[in-house]
Amino acid sequence: VGNELVDASRATGTAAGGGDEEAIKVLRPDVSSSSAAVAAVAAAAGRGPVLLRYVPTNPNPTNTNSAVFFLCQVGEDDPRDVRPAVLLDLLAKVASKPAFHELRTRQRLGYAVSLSKHRLGGGMGLAVRVQSPDRQPGLLRLRVAEWLAAFGRELRELAPERLASFKAALAEKYLEPPRSLAEAALATWRPIRYRSYAFRRAEQKAEALKELELQDLVHFYEQHACPSSSTARVLCCEVWGGLRGTAEGDVASTAGARGGGEAAQAAESEVVGEDDGGLGACGWRRVGSEDVAELHRRLPHFCHSETLGVLRALPVGHGSSLVS
């Protein structure tokens, strides 16, 4: 879901500003669309973050647990340029424990909290998962977004020795030899499955890691993982517990956490409103299954969630020595 919905802005370069006309061409072909959410993405292109909410039908309505999958998309995992993938690996390694400490230990949002790199087909991103028995997804989404936006200060103050430690651990992971025949086979098959044919990817990532400095990591975070950044592309998948109230319950929870009064009105616009001010000029926009189907149709060369591998065509000459 994240690839199809959030990549709409990346496909035209609009998340970094400009390319608005091309965005509208991609999202609005000759046949006009009735999808307000898709039109909102096009309208927001170039003037703020793209913040999307996807609320699927709960497949188990008797389960009272709620959950969010908060995905900050980085872009395509291009085998010809491993630097973004290395920066994402390093950011996930640096941020995983602080995320757990803040969201699980301090705020007690849920019993299952994790931050990790996420890859689907040819797209990659930074994912935060929270599962809670008593907090609704609207509140979980806001708390995750707030923590990510505030994490920049901690990242900028990261001590050089701590960064060196993270880099050493990551380099060791890259260069660790396979411990079984199955692992060796998987390492060989993965580049074929994803049609990258980058059989020396681990060594290339280890080399790229050596060159990275703290300012590189901070810039990468500000560009992709800070939801308030104008270049952020975020999708939050929200699963609502079947027996735990509605979005209005989140308003009460959020207002209680912020002190009530005017905070309650702010919480209502943040949690319930689909066109709120939120973390950017366009705020959070809700999308549905019809929007996913629409983008599947309009972006036929992008990886669909139900398929394996990458559907987009390879560049001319790429891997020609290996595939004939």
Side-chain angles (χ1 to χ4, degrees):
V1 173
N3 281 2
E4 290 82 38
L5 293 177
V6 189
D7 252 338
S9 60
R10 180 193 178 280
T12 57
T14 54
D20 294 19
E21 295 180 0
E22 288 300 314
I24 294 175
K25 290 178 183 178
V26 171
L27 295 173
R28 295 178 181 173
D30 295 337
V31 180
S32 61
S33 171
S34 61
S35 169
V38 172
V41 174
R47 60 182 181 86
V50 177
L51 307 172
L52 304 180
R53 299 173 56 222
Y54 178 61
V55 186
T57 301
N58 190 336
N60 185 5
T62 62
N63 191 328
T64 61
N65 289 283
S66 294
V68 295
F69 178 79
F70 194 102
L71 179 67
C72 301
Q73 191 178 40
V74 171
E76 183 178 354
D77 190 359
D78 190 340
R80 298 163 298 179
D81 181 13
V82 299
R83 193 171 186 269
V86 175
L87 283 164
L88 179 58
D89 289 339
L90 185 57
L91 180 60
K93 199 164 193 65
V94 173
S96 59
K97 287 186 177 179
F100 184 89
H101 175 70
E102 177 62 28
L103 301 176
R104 171 66 176 88
T105 306
R106 291 193 60 194
Q107 297 193 32
R108 300 180 181 179
L109 295 183
Y111 50 81
V113 175
S114 67
L115 180 149
S116 63
K117 174 183 177 179
H118 177 75
R119 191 182 193 279
L120 176 64
M124 58 182 179
L126 187 74
V128 181
R129 300 172 175 86
V130 181
Q131 182 173 331
S132 175
D134 55 6
R135 304 293 182 92
Q136 297 288 12
L139 179 61
L140 299 178
R141 167 172 50 88
L142 294 178
R143 294 292 179 83
V144 171
E146 288 171 356
W147 174 79
L148 276 170
F151 178 69
R153 179 176 180 180
E154 181 177 347
L155 182 62
R156 295 180 189 94
E157 296 175 352
L158 186 67
E161 57 272 17
R162 288 284 292 157
L163 178 62
S165 175
F166 285 121
K167 290 176 62 176
L170 191 55
E172 183 179 357
K173 178 181 178 182
Y174 285 155
L175 301 177
E176 181 181 8
R179 292 169 292 183
S180 67
L181 184 59
E183 287 188 2
L186 180 62
T188 303
W189 176 247
R190 187 180 291 112
I192 299 173
R193 176 187 178 187
Y194 291 110
R195 304 182 189 180
S196 68
Y197 310 109
F199 296 101
R200 294 191 64 257
R201 182 176 174 83
E203 292 83 356
Q204 293 171 346
K205 292 176 78 173
E207 287 297 321
L209 179 63
K210 295 177 182 178
E211 308 298 325
L212 298 183
E213 302 292 342
L214 181 59
Q215 59 266 29
D216 300 318
L217 189 60
V218 170
H219 177 72
F220 182 83
Y221 154 82
E222 291 174 343
Q223 185 177 12
H224 299 294
C226 181
S228 58
S229 169
S230 62
T231 56
R233 301 184 299 276
V234 181
L235 172 71
C236 185
C237 181
E238 306 175 11
V239 178
W240 291 72
L243 303 179
R244 290 285 183 181
T246 62
E248 285 76 8
D250 252 359
V251 174
S253 299
T254 306
R258 298 185 179 181
E262 295 180 356
Q265 297 178 4
E268 182 176 357
S269 66
E270 289 176 347
V271 178
V272 180
E274 309 225 349
D275 192 16
D276 59 271
L279 285 171
C282 64
W284 288 94
R285 306 279 180 166
R286 180 166 175 169
V287 297
S289 57
E290 68 280 2
D291 301 302
V292 178
E294 181 69 10
L295 284 175
H296 276 181
R297 186 179 70 83
R298 295 169 186 241
L299 303 176
H301 297 296
F302 276 68
C303 180
H304 297 175
S305 57
E306 69 271 15
T307 64
L308 295 176
V310 180
L311 299 183
R312 59 181 66 81
L314 291 172
V316 176
H318 181 59
S320 58
S321 62
L322 295 174
V323 180
S324 60

